[in-house]
Amino acid sequence: MTSVKVAILGFGTVGEGIFNILQEKREQFKTQLGIDLDVAKILVRDATKQRVGIANTLLTESIDEVLAVPNLDVVFEAIVGEEPAYGYLDKAIEHHVNVVTANKVMFAKFGQVLQEKAQKYGVQVGYEATTAGGVPVIKTMENILRVNDVNHVQGILNGTSNYILTQMRTEGISFETALKNAQQLGYAEADPYNDVSGQDAFKKLMILSNLAFGQQPNWDDVEVVGISAITLQQVQEADAKGQRYRHIAEVGLDEDGYIFAKIGPQLVDATHPLYSIDGVDNAVSLDTNYIGKLTLVGPGAGMYPTASVMVEDYADMLVKKPALVTI
Ligand code: NAP
Ligand code: HSE
């Protein structure tokens, strides 16, 4: 049996989901993979806060304490914002620890640097959960890009915005009430500014841009508009005309090969491929040279869609490069 020590950074919606899945799947991993996954540390902002079902000895506020765990093989990062997340993952890589992140704000800016550093240190970086929640767009793109070129990416990349627009239309409730519901369901960030301003979708689009085109547009040149100015009356008037508001992000290459991107609400009718995408679902359409158009749809936020793809990222790493410690 191989023993693998695991740490989780953040114990909010996503961090708790990772912990629960690792507990639920522990026996299955032992029998199927011969691996015992043991959560050895959980880093939070406030380690004195009581967490149901979590021993106090597991909690810490110190990344050095996390990285001092003997035989630590992976850090799952589910905290918020660029720092201290980037610094923590940078340090983890220097300690030859694999990293898996859900943090798109951090990864849009530092993803490439972390991936290059990980290569140098012989560890892996998983980032499926940064973009489109449980929709496996990163792995799909990595796979098809071995043969296909992607020349345009278009999608709904923020679950909260899509959920709010859907609730306003189907339940006739205000933007504010729909946002509160999205927060209670764990879709919206604790500070929902990025969700409703379009910044969250923008960061995800930049991650896809890196993957599809090996570059990002100049961030200052990208028009980013959110959904916060859309009223219930506008949603209802559109609905009466057979139209729906969708928050759409797109990036592509123009005919001169220059990269362009834009993010904002659009009114679409029933002929548009994103018309039927409701609730917390995200959708990503990829225009490719050989496959043609490929569209992926699924839950774009929430505890288990997000946490499960993070654990899958790590399971993939184990398959590619089995952990070293045998007991
Ligand atoms: P959350 O519920 O607000 O939880 C955040 C956790 O991180 C909390 O446990 C908090 O500690 C900890 N934390 C925050 N800032 C920290 C800091 N500076 N140092 C140490 N710990 C810190 O957030 P979440 O919804 O789980 O999201 C976590 C990450 O996943 C974010 O980057 C988010 O964008 C991304 N994400 C979320 C979803 C989703 O559906 N929720 C989906 C995909 C990606 P305390 O508990 O002590 O406050
Ligand atoms: N707050 C984000 C959203 C979480 O609503 O899409 C998933 O990244």
Side-chain angles (χ1 to χ4, degrees):
M1 180 75 64
T2 303
S3 172
V4 169
K5 298 290 178 200
V6 168
I8 303 173
L9 312 186
F11 200 72
T13 303
V14 178
E16 188 177 348
I18 296 167
F19 181 81
N20 292 346
I21 291 173
L22 290 174
Q23 301 313 305
E24 284 166 25
K25 291 283 164 187
R26 192 165 180 174
E27 289 307 312
Q28 188 182 319
F29 277 126
K30 278 190 203 167
T31 50
Q32 287 183 351
L33 299 176
I35 287 169
D36 184 21
L37 289 176
D38 178 27
V39 178
K41 277 288 163 208
I42 300 174
L43 178 141
V44 285
R45 198 169 19 202
D46 178 4
T48 62
K49 204 161 101 186
Q50 286 295 315
R51 324 263 167 173
V52 179
I54 302 296
N56 274 351
T57 49
L58 271 187
L59 297 172
T60 179
E61 296 171 15
S62 159
I63 189 67
D64 293 326
E65 209 177 306
V66 169
L67 296 176
V69 169
N71 301 323
L72 183 70
D73 194 56
V74 64
V75 160
F76 291 98
E77 188 260 311
I79 66 175
V80 180
E82 284 179 17
E83 289 290 359
Y86 169 63
Y88 287 174
L89 296 193
D90 187 61
K91 224 171 179 180
I93 290 169
E94 283 175 1
H95 280 71
H96 299 274
V97 172
N98 297 298
V99 300
V100 176
T101 180
N103 183 343
K104 77 289 301 213
V105 171
M106 180 280 298
F107 205 76
K109 190 161 174 187
F110 297 111
Q112 251 174 336
V113 182
L114 284 177
Q115 285 172 302
E116 281 161 21
K117 184 150 187 170
Q119 208 166 13
K120 194 169 138 200
Y121 281 81
V123 293
Q124 299 180 63
V125 177
Y127 63 104
E128 183 67 71
T130 59
T131 305
V135 181
V137 61
I138 304 293
K139 285 198 188 69
T140 302
M141 285 179 75
E142 283 172 348
N143 282 339
I144 66 174
L145 283 165
R146 294 194 188 108
V147 176
N148 278 266
D149 293 331
V150 173
N151 48 53
H152 188 242
V153 180
Q154 185 190 54
I156 294 173
L157 296 179
N158 184 259
T160 299
S161 296
N162 206 47
Y163 175 82
I164 290 172
L165 292 172
T166 304
Q167 287 267 300
M168 288 167 80
R169 190 186 85 245
T170 59
E171 308 304 315
I173 59 176
S174 66
F175 174 92
E176 290 74 19
T177 307
L179 174 57
K180 269 198 197 108
N181 293 346
Q183 285 176 303
Q184 274 163 10
L185 289 163
Y187 302 155
E189 311 288 316
D191 174 357
Y193 169 78
N194 280 354
D195 290 307
V196 299
S197 66
Q199 283 297 324
D200 178 86
F202 169 61
K203 299 294 172 3
K204 292 165 175 169
L205 190 70
M206 293 303 101
I207 292 169
L208 296 183
S209 178
N210 259 348
L211 199 48
F213 308 114
Q215 59 174 316
Q216 298 179 352
N218 184 340
W219 286 17
D220 292 337
D221 295 341
V222 182
E223 185 182 283
V224 181
V225 182
I227 62 157
S228 48
I230 299 174
T231 63
L232 177 58
Q233 190 183 344
Q234 285 174 312
V235 169
Q236 289 174 330
E237 281 171 7
D239 192 33
K241 288 188 268 182
Q243 295 178 317
R244 292 178 184 172
Y245 281 97
R246 291 294 179 230
H247 188 255
I248 297 177
E250 61 185 306
V251 61
L253 300 177
D254 68 16
E255 50 209 30
D256 299 318
Y258 289 110
I259 192 160
F260 68 91
K262 63 176 181 173
I263 292 114
Q266 291 181 30
L267 267 178
V268 301
D269 65 22
T271 62
H272 194 282
L274 300 177
Y275 177 84
S276 62
I277 310 300
D278 261 347
V280 73
D281 273 0
N282 281 188
V284 188
S285 282
L286 308 168
D287 281 338
T288 72
N289 55 338
Y290 293 127
I291 300 172
K293 193 187 272 289
L294 179 66
T295 302
L296 305 171
V297 179
M303 178 183 274
Y304 287 110
T306 310
S308 68
V309 299
M310 295 181 78
V311 178
E312 279 172 16
D313 267 349
Y314 182 54
D316 275 355
M317 291 177 190
L318 288 175
V319 172
K320 283 186 206 152
K321 187 178 172 187
L324 301 174
V325 190
T326 302
I327 52 171

